[in-house]
């Protein structure tokens, strides 16, 4: 359609969506055009700002490689990733434990027995004894679910980023028992900064936001008949909880770590202070899936 | 801020913009977050659609090179480029002739005298005698303005894309005289398709839109004291006017080409049918600028 003026432009663009074959594509493109135009109109975007915006999109894409997803980091930094997760998992009244998958899941984690340790090479940090339970949205135990767990070392690095760690260090695959319970031993997780050498770093700096994520423990819970969820369990005592650079911290996913001093640990070899954590993950009926393994999950050493 | 649920998420993200040092950055980021979240909520974006969206952004950036600006083509295909141009040039009641710059402007076009031809190597197509006038928003002639003109050959290629054309073919730089008038001879422009090997091509195909731009003639008008404008002048007889893939066709930028048969042309060598075109370009007081020369403007042959 020929453009008459600024007011009629949006209608002219929307008119060219009418031939779309797929109604869902049409719906999404129309909403995108309206919201993009409304955004530009609301802030009266200048030509220089428009050019700068196009440069930012270009840099987001060009910085995105198999081992560094700048585009996804930006979506997280704007709260979009968590919004999509919340909209698509459970309901407001009956939410599941879904959260961000993140870029560090690896396919093929070693199968472990409940109670075993996922510490495979010397790793500093207070011992953690974790007990998880998996239930459905009505509270019934979900037995036989496959649970991949993984987390960063106290240095803030996953094993596939860090030549100092043994392969599969701080990763393992467990199965829930008849009561929906699984358990493992590890060390208490630590937080770490996201990369700041691209547009995400520029955004955080402009907003005087720090680049840190609070300490968290990842779980991917898979059982046919249930919608697979990636979850993250945050540490109640982390000072970054309120200001997570990726807006991942959902209140119900904050786990309370219990510190034990002068108490015998489940493993008698432990003589230092140790932590225990119990947490119940909620899943819902639906389609099971497994993530496409990101190339970043390959070991770089 | 910790996320409670889907409803409170946007407020939690906006709270983290409060420390921004620059009020304009804060305003833009807040509007972006609100409109992005509103878009996702309105269409209830699924997790698969979200992942596909991130892939599209990644491909836009990765396909953008010095000679192919996929990001800018997408902005054009969504009508955003023309919206920004209309918002920033003149007013609804008193618009200028600003339009899209496009990727094919070249710095250093040869200085020409009014009336000279910009056809520098044999180029098929009906002769065109163009007379332009430059005025300000009150209709006063603007003398001494530098006017770069350029357009594609009938094969749909600019000279720097096409080894068959001489360097600077269909390009020239003219100056407006005391009446604001400049004039040159060329051939009548033709339309051409934009590239369709990326997400822009996917979008057009999904919407059953063709990839063509209608025939147009570019002008960049520069004079200190006036806001520089890039303009495009469209051909009234082009069948693509209503469906320009880049939404550039603004009603007041459609020029009426007069066809002359059996009438003597301004150049007596012309014996075939020829076209004349007169057009008045409107500029406004403001800051003069020149585009950063895109690397795509370098000759590839």
């Amino acid at each position: 359609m020929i453009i008459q003026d600024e007011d009629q432009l949006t209608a002219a663009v929307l008119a060219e969506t009418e031939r779309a074959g797929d109604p869902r594509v049409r719906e999404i493109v129309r909403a995108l055009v309206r919201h993009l135009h409304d955004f530009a109109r609301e802030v009266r975007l200048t030509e220089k700002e428009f050019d700068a915006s196009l440069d930012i999109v270009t840099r987001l894409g060009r910085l995105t490689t198999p081992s560094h997803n700048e585009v996804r980091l930006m979506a997280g930094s704007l709260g979009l990733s968590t919004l999509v997760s919340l909209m698509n998992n459970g309901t407001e009244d009956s939410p599941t434990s879904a959260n961000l998958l993140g870029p560090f899941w690896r396919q093929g984690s070693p199968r472990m027995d409940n109670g075993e340790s996922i510490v495979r090479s010397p790793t500093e940090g207070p011992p953690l004894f974790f007990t998880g339970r998996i239930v459905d949205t009505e509270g019934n135990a979900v037995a036989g679910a496959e649970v991949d767990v993984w987390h960063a070392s106290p240095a803030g690095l996953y094993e596939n980023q860090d030549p100092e760690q043994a392969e599969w260090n701080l990763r393992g695959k467990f199965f829930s028992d008849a009561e929906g319970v699984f358990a493992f031993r590890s060390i208490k997780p630590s937080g770490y900064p996201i990369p700041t050498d691209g547009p995400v770093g520029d955004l955080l700096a402009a907003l005087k936001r720090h680049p840190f994520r609070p300490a968290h423990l990842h779980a991917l819970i898979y059982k046919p008949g249930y919608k697979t969820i990636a979850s993250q369990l945050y540490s109640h005592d982390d000072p970054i909880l309120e200001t997570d650079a990726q807006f991942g911290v959902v209140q119900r996913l904050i786990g309370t770590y219990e510190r034990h001093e002068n108490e015998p640990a489940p493993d008698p070899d432990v003589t230092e202070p140790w932590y225990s954590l119990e947490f119940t993950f909620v899943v819902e009926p639906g389609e099971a899936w497994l993530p496409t393994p990101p190339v970043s999950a390959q070991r770089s050493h």
Side-chain angles (χ1 to χ4, degrees), chain A:
Chain A
M1 196 179 279
I2 292 172
I3 312 303
Q4 302 302 326
D5 53 32
E6 183 195 322
D7 287 343
Q8 169 264 4
L9 170 69
T10 304
V13 175
L14 292 175
E16 293 302 314
T17 65
E18 292 296 342
R19 292 183 299 278
D22 181 332
R24 179 63 175 163
V25 168
R26 181 171 172 279
E27 178 184 15
I28 289 176
V29 173
R30 289 176 70 86
L32 179 66
V33 167
R34 277 192 288 96
H35 286 287
L36 264 179
H37 288 204
D38 284 352
F39 160 70
R41 281 194 174 90
E42 179 180 322
V43 302
R44 304 306 292 174
L45 199 67
T46 69
E47 289 162 304
K48 279 181 187 168
E49 288 163 351
F50 175 60
D51 288 346
S53 306
L54 299 188
D55 282 346
I56 290 170
V57 175
T58 303
R59 289 175 67 212
L60 287 174
R62 292 172 73 92
L63 279 171
T64 295
T65 65
S67 59
H68 173 136
N69 197 326
E70 187 79 6
V71 174
R72 194 171 286 271
L73 282 174
M74 183 58 92
S77 301
L78 296 169
L80 195 59
S81 307
T82 294
L83 175 59
V84 170
S85 174
L86 290 173
M87 284 197 305
N88 287 285
N89 290 282
T91 61
E92 295 262 319
D93 292 337
S94 181
T96 75
S97 303
N99 198 235
L100 312 176
L101 173 64
F104 293 110
W105 176 75
R106 282 185 73 189
Q107 193 176 38
S109 196
R111 170 72 209 273
M112 319 275 295
D113 288 329
N114 279 326
E116 283 192 291
S117 173
I118 59 174
V119 182
R120 297 167 202 278
S121 56
T123 314
E124 288 281 327
L128 167 68
F129 294 88
F130 181 87
T131 305
R133 185 154 180 264
I134 305 174
V135 300
D136 66 18
T137 41
E138 295 181 343
N140 304 307
V142 176
E146 194 177 306
V147 189
D148 253 350
V149 297
W150 68 104
H151 65 89
S153 75
L157 295 170
Y158 292 85
E159 50 86 26
N160 52 331
Q161 298 179 292
D162 182 4
E164 303 292 313
Q165 295 179 57
E167 184 158 20
W168 302 112
N169 190 42
L170 311 183
R171 295 179 187 268
K173 181 180 293 173
F174 298 83
F175 284 81
S176 60
D177 67 15
E179 273 70 53
V181 171
F182 68 100
F184 63 90
R185 176 174 166 185
S186 188
I187 53 164
K188 191 165 184 283
S190 304
Y192 53 84
I194 62 172
T196 54
D197 54 350
V200 169
D202 296 345
L203 174 73
L204 296 177
L207 298 180
K208 297 193 172 73
R209 285 169 58 191
H210 64 69
F212 287 90
R213 298 219 62 216
H216 56 275
L217 196 155
H218 293 272
L220 181 75
I221 304 175
Y222 173 90
K223 182 180 176 175
Y226 294 87
K227 184 170 187 293
T228 300
I229 62 165
S231 190
Q232 292 188 34
L233 182 51
Y234 298 92
S235 304
H236 78 286
D237 54 358
D238 194 298
I240 303 298
L241 279 183
E242 287 280 352
T243 53
D244 178 9
Q246 291 285 288
F247 295 109
V249 183
V250 173
Q251 182 73 53
R252 63 179 170 275
L253 298 179
I254 300 172
T256 302
Y257 287 73
E258 303 263 1
R259 184 176 167 93
H260 304 269
E261 302 192 38
N262 310 318
E263 266 179 84
D267 181 334
D269 288 350
V270 173
T271 53
E272 63 206 287
W274 54 279
Y275 287 86
S276 64
L277 177 59
E278 294 184 6
F279 194 76
T280 298
F281 294 94
V282 180
V283 296
E284 64 182 331
E287 191 186 351
W289 53 273
L290 282 175
T292 309
V295 181
S296 59
Q298 307 310 310
R299 277 177 79 77
S300 56
H301 61 281

